[in-house]
Short mmCIF file of all heavy atoms in Angstrom, two decimals:
data_model
loop_
_atom_site.label_atom_id
_atom_site.label_comp_id
_atom_site.label_asym_id
_atom_site.label_seq_id
_atom_site.Cartn_x
_atom_site.Cartn_y
_atom_site.Cartn_z
N LEU A 133 -6.23 -12.07 -18.63
CA LEU A 133 -7.07 -13.19 -19.05
C LEU A 133 -7.89 -13.73 -17.88
O LEU A 133 -9.11 -13.90 -17.97
CB LEU A 133 -6.16 -14.30 -19.61
CG LEU A 133 -6.80 -15.31 -20.54
CD1 LEU A 133 -7.08 -14.65 -21.87
CD2 LEU A 133 -5.88 -16.51 -20.72
N LYS A 134 -7.21 -13.97 -16.77
CA LYS A 134 -7.89 -14.53 -15.60
C LYS A 134 -8.87 -13.52 -15.01
O LYS A 134 -9.98 -13.88 -14.62
CB LYS A 134 -6.87 -14.93 -14.55
CG LYS A 134 -6.05 -16.15 -14.93
CD LYS A 134 -5.50 -16.78 -13.67
CE LYS A 134 -4.25 -17.59 -13.93
NZ LYS A 134 -3.50 -17.78 -12.67
N ALA A 135 -8.46 -12.25 -14.96
CA ALA A 135 -9.34 -11.22 -14.41
C ALA A 135 -10.63 -11.15 -15.23
O ALA A 135 -11.72 -11.01 -14.69
CB ALA A 135 -8.64 -9.87 -14.39
N THR A 136 -10.49 -11.27 -16.55
CA THR A 136 -11.67 -11.22 -17.42
C THR A 136 -12.61 -12.38 -17.10
O THR A 136 -13.83 -12.23 -17.13
CB THR A 136 -11.23 -11.27 -18.89
OG1 THR A 136 -10.22 -10.29 -19.08
CG2 THR A 136 -12.39 -10.97 -19.82
N LYS A 137 -12.01 -13.53 -16.77
CA LYS A 137 -12.82 -14.69 -16.40
C LYS A 137 -13.69 -14.37 -15.17
O LYS A 137 -14.88 -14.65 -15.16
CB LYS A 137 -11.88 -15.87 -16.12
CG LYS A 137 -12.56 -17.12 -15.66
CD LYS A 137 -11.53 -18.23 -15.43
CE LYS A 137 -11.75 -18.89 -14.08
NZ LYS A 137 -10.65 -19.74 -13.66
N TYR A 138 -13.08 -13.76 -14.14
CA TYR A 138 -13.85 -13.44 -12.93
C TYR A 138 -14.81 -12.28 -13.16
O TYR A 138 -15.87 -12.22 -12.54
CB TYR A 138 -12.90 -13.18 -11.77
CG TYR A 138 -12.12 -14.41 -11.40
CD1 TYR A 138 -10.76 -14.50 -11.66
CD2 TYR A 138 -12.76 -15.51 -10.85
CE1 TYR A 138 -10.05 -15.66 -11.37
CE2 TYR A 138 -12.07 -16.67 -10.55
CZ TYR A 138 -10.71 -16.73 -10.81
OH TYR A 138 -10.02 -17.88 -10.52
N LEU A 139 -14.42 -11.39 -14.06
CA LEU A 139 -15.31 -10.30 -14.45
C LEU A 139 -16.61 -10.87 -15.03
O LEU A 139 -17.71 -10.46 -14.67
CB LEU A 139 -14.60 -9.44 -15.51
CG LEU A 139 -15.28 -8.18 -16.00
CD1 LEU A 139 -15.15 -7.10 -14.95
CD2 LEU A 139 -14.65 -7.71 -17.30
N ASN A 140 -16.47 -11.86 -15.90
CA ASN A 140 -17.64 -12.47 -16.52
C ASN A 140 -18.41 -13.35 -15.54
O ASN A 140 -19.62 -13.47 -15.63
CB ASN A 140 -17.22 -13.27 -17.75
CG ASN A 140 -16.69 -12.35 -18.84
OD1 ASN A 140 -17.11 -11.20 -18.94
ND2 ASN A 140 -15.74 -12.84 -19.61
N LEU A 141 -17.67 -13.96 -14.61
CA LEU A 141 -18.32 -14.80 -13.60
C LEU A 141 -19.40 -14.02 -12.85
O LEU A 141 -20.49 -14.52 -12.60
CB LEU A 141 -17.28 -15.34 -12.61
CG LEU A 141 -17.83 -16.14 -11.43
CD1 LEU A 141 -18.27 -17.52 -11.87
CD2 LEU A 141 -16.81 -16.24 -10.30
N VAL A 142 -19.09 -12.75 -12.51
CA VAL A 142 -20.06 -11.96 -11.75
C VAL A 142 -20.91 -11.08 -12.67
O VAL A 142 -21.75 -10.31 -12.21
CB VAL A 142 -19.39 -11.08 -10.68
CG1 VAL A 142 -18.64 -11.94 -9.68
CG2 VAL A 142 -18.46 -10.06 -11.31
N GLY A 143 -20.68 -11.20 -13.98
CA GLY A 143 -21.52 -10.50 -14.95
C GLY A 143 -21.30 -9.00 -15.03
O GLY A 143 -22.23 -8.24 -15.22
N LEU A 144 -20.03 -8.57 -14.87
CA LEU A 144 -19.75 -7.14 -14.97
C LEU A 144 -19.00 -6.79 -16.25
O LEU A 144 -18.42 -5.71 -16.37
CB LEU A 144 -18.95 -6.67 -13.75
CG LEU A 144 -19.72 -6.57 -12.43
CD1 LEU A 144 -18.80 -6.22 -11.28
CD2 LEU A 144 -20.84 -5.52 -12.54
#
Side-chain angles (χ1 to χ4, degrees):
Chain A
L133 201 73
K134 289 203 204 160
T136 310
K137 177 179 131 193
Y138 295 109
L139 185 76
N140 293 330
L141 175 75
V142 300
L144 287 175

